[in-house]
Amino acid sequence: MTSNNYGLVPASAGALAEPRGVDEILLGFARMLRVAGVAVSPDRVQSMIAALGHLDVLDEDSVYWAGRLTLCSNPDDLPKYDAGFAAYFGGEVPKPSQSQPPQHKHVEASFGMDDHAPEGTGEQEDDPIPGMASAQEVLQHKDFSDLQPAEREELRRLFELLAPTSATRRTRRYGPNKRGITDAHKSIRAAMRNGGEMTRLARKRRRVRPRRLVILADVSGSMAPYADPMLRFAHAAVRRDQVHTEIFTLGTRLTRVTRELRLRDPDKALRAAGAAIPDWSGGTQLGEMLRAFLNLWGQRGIARRAIVVIFSDGWERGDPTLLGEQMQRLHRLAYSVIWANPHKGHAGYEPLTGGITAALPYIDHFVAGHSFASYAELAKVISHA
């Protein structure tokens, strides 16, 4: 079977086009599932493409079941796959009837193509599969402040697929491992059980555990267009690891919202967090709030050797010198300091405001925070910090 821009056709039919349109969409779908936490390996992707080589790529049920049966390796992957399929292809998840096999209906809403379209008509529409991918790509790179209500709803579904993971660290404790240094005590005890004969050497290696992730979110008025996606990202991080994740909001007051964001439903979690934040869309005193965080929480251990992410545009109503001093304190405590600024993703941006200028020397990673794509990139920075 060979793929072309209009689906899968037999090689005997003389279709010698390179496999581009359909395969690119399927690879993009697999990459999105990998970001969502589904262990999609290259051989599984090849199996999905090979399966669709024997099916109708324009049929919604065929695409759904070919991907589900090849890309999912355990039951925990199924909800992520269903959400990813609905978000990526823009359709409902197929639900086959129990009394009869699923009907093969064409999905013009998702793929929107006609594989029998006449050639050379002069008004032939562009290939809609790359068009669908382009629309998805544009939405992921679009600034949150420019989104329409329908686009915001679509991105909410994409945020449910995010699973930010913190970088790991080695502990002082050792655990059994196939590789590593020789565990003399276990090796000798095993030899004594075998009459003194040393049959094999036991080995050990230091255990690893995730670093604590601390998110400080600016909820002032200037950050209002980015507050919802900012907290949805924080909710995704808490959902991924409740034990090692802490969330605080910064404005005119410091508020810990970790407990509220532990609710599994994103909308309920955000409503609970909104009710707990008393200074929503108010002013901002980053220096004062950062000092309060370090005095009450950070110095006591939350920020020690942790990955700290600050979401803020850097507008400081107070003294920028104080912010610089507190950022220096934070930098000494934390393992890595990441600052996500929504304006950094705009062309021609330069960090000229007083707050950013004072904080920049103590920032390890200065990243954008204006679109879903920038948040996906931020998740990679956190995992590789």
Side-chain angles (χ1 to χ4, degrees):
M1 304 293 284
T2 303
S3 63
N4 63 9
N5 287 342
Y6 296 96
L8 300 178
V9 297
S12 60
L16 300 178
E18 296 182 358
R20 50 188 187 88
V22 174
D23 289 355
E24 290 178 0
I25 300 305
L26 298 179
L27 291 174
F29 177 51
R31 284 194 296 268
M32 186 189 68
L33 291 179
R34 197 176 291 118
V35 172
V38 180
V40 179
S41 58
D43 58 329
R44 289 184 175 274
V45 177
Q46 292 295 333
S47 299
M48 176 184 64
I49 295 176
L52 284 174
H54 301 277
L55 300 172
D56 182 6
V57 74
L58 303 183
D59 183 75
E60 183 178 21
D61 292 346
S62 298
V63 176
Y64 173 81
W65 289 109
R68 175 166 170 156
L69 294 174
T70 55
L71 301 180
C72 298
S73 57
N74 60 72
D76 294 337
D77 294 339
L78 300 182
K80 300 176 183 178
Y81 177 85
D82 290 344
F85 185 88
Y88 192 82
F89 293 107
E92 295 294 330
V93 173
K95 296 181 180 179
S97 173
Q98 296 181 356
S99 59
Q100 59 182 3
Q103 298 295 325
H104 296 284
K105 58 181 180 179
H106 291 282
V107 284
E108 289 83 357
S110 299
F111 293 96
M113 61 171 61
D114 185 3
D115 52 355
H116 302 292
E119 298 181 1
T121 58
E123 295 183 358
Q124 184 176 3
E125 295 183 357
D126 294 335
D127 187 3
I129 288 187
M132 183 268 291
S134 299
Q136 191 75 238
E137 189 75 10
V138 169
L139 179 60
Q140 293 188 20
H141 288 83
K142 196 171 183 180
D143 194 292
F144 291 129
S145 61
D146 299 330
L147 294 178
Q148 301 298 323
E151 294 174 329
R152 291 184 180 276
E153 185 63 30
E154 185 70 18
L155 282 182
R156 287 174 184 172
R157 300 199 301 182
L158 291 179
F159 268 106
E160 294 182 19
L161 301 175
L162 277 180
T165 57
S166 181
T168 58
R169 65 178 181 88
R170 291 191 301 172
T171 67
R172 295 183 179 180
R173 295 180 179 272
Y174 284 87
N177 199 289
K178 294 182 180 180
R179 299 178 181 179
I181 64 176
T182 302
D183 191 335
H185 295 286
K186 284 190 176 181
S187 299
I188 294 174
R189 285 198 299 267
M192 293 177 64
R193 289 193 295 267
N194 294 326
E197 182 177 357
M198 186 73 69
T199 58
R200 70 180 185 88
L201 292 177
R203 297 187 179 276
K204 63 181 180 179
R205 178 177 288 183
R206 283 188 177 182
R207 300 178 186 268
V208 296
R209 61 184 303 179
R211 291 188 179 275
R212 181 178 287 107
L213 175 62
V214 181
I215 295 179
L216 306 176
D218 184 353
V219 294
S220 61
S222 61
M223 289 288 292
Y226 307 97
D228 182 85
M230 183 172 58
L231 291 179
R232 288 185 183 275
F233 180 87
H235 176 263
V238 173
R239 187 178 64 236
R240 181 66 176 80
D241 188 351
Q242 295 187 7
V243 177
H244 301 97
T245 307
E246 290 286 345
I247 314 297
F248 296 84
T249 61
L250 309 176
T252 56
R253 296 181 61 180
L254 175 71
T255 307
R256 181 173 180 260
V257 293
T258 307
R259 180 184 303 174
E260 288 75 12
L261 292 180
R262 283 175 180 167
L263 296 175
R264 188 165 187 81
D265 184 83
D267 294 326
K268 292 182 179 179
L270 262 67
R271 284 195 295 268
I277 299 173
D279 54 344
W280 191 277
S281 295
T284 177
Q285 297 176 347
L286 293 177
E288 290 287 349
M289 295 304 100
L290 195 56
R291 179 167 61 181
F293 165 74
L294 292 173
N295 291 342
L296 296 175
W297 301 90
Q299 200 78 35
R300 297 182 179 181
I302 283 186
R304 290 184 182 275
R305 310 302 295 168
I307 298 175
V308 180
V309 181
I310 302 176
F311 287 99
S312 178
D313 55 4
W315 286 101
E316 171 63 288
R317 291 178 55 186
D319 185 6
T321 304
L322 176 61
L323 176 59
E325 294 173 354
Q326 301 309 312
M327 285 294 299
Q328 187 178 23
R329 286 181 61 194
L330 177 63
H331 189 263
R332 288 197 300 262
L333 284 173
Y335 177 76
S336 180
V337 178
I338 305 171
W339 190 300
N341 189 328
H343 300 310
K344 190 180 186 299
H346 301 158
Y349 168 78
E350 294 183 8
L352 300 178
T353 60
I356 286 294
T357 303
L360 204 55
Y362 312 106
I363 297 175
D364 297 307
H365 302 277
F366 189 42
V367 300
H370 67 297
S371 65
F372 180 82
S374 66
Y375 276 66
E377 184 63 28
L378 173 61
K380 294 181 181 179
V381 173
I382 292 174
S383 63
H384 294 93

